[in-house]
Amino acid sequence: MGNPKRKISKARRDSRRAQTFKLSAPGLVECPQCHEMKLAHRVCANCGYYKNKEVVSTEK
């Protein structure tokens, strides 16, 4: 069994482990109906449209 020649510093160890904990921003896109920002592949909370069809009726 091979053994490490030197101690791995905490900074080197933690920077290697940090790659698994990256956070990414949510995919925001512009609604084609009302031009508000919404999450991709979801019904627009402002107008209730999804794929150019009204899915949820909203009070105006």
Side-chain angles (χ1 to χ4, degrees):
M1 295 282 298
N3 289 321
K5 295 279 188 193
R6 298 195 188 285
K7 177 180 177 179
I8 301 295
S9 69
K10 293 178 192 117
R12 188 174 288 270
R13 178 200 66 199
D14 292 345
S15 66
R16 183 181 64 243
R17 291 180 182 171
Q19 304 304 315
T20 59
F21 298 110
K22 276 188 190 173
L23 294 177
S24 60
L28 291 176
V29 295
E30 183 179 330
C31 176
Q33 300 292 326
C34 63
H35 305 289
E36 291 285 323
M37 297 305 286
K38 70 177 189 77
L39 287 173
H41 308 290
R42 284 168 180 81
V43 176
C44 179
N46 189 39
C47 64
Y49 274 74
Y50 181 70
K51 291 191 176 179
N52 299 324
K53 295 178 187 168
E54 186 175 9
V55 180
V56 180
S57 61
T58 56
E59 296 292 324
K60 297 201 179 191

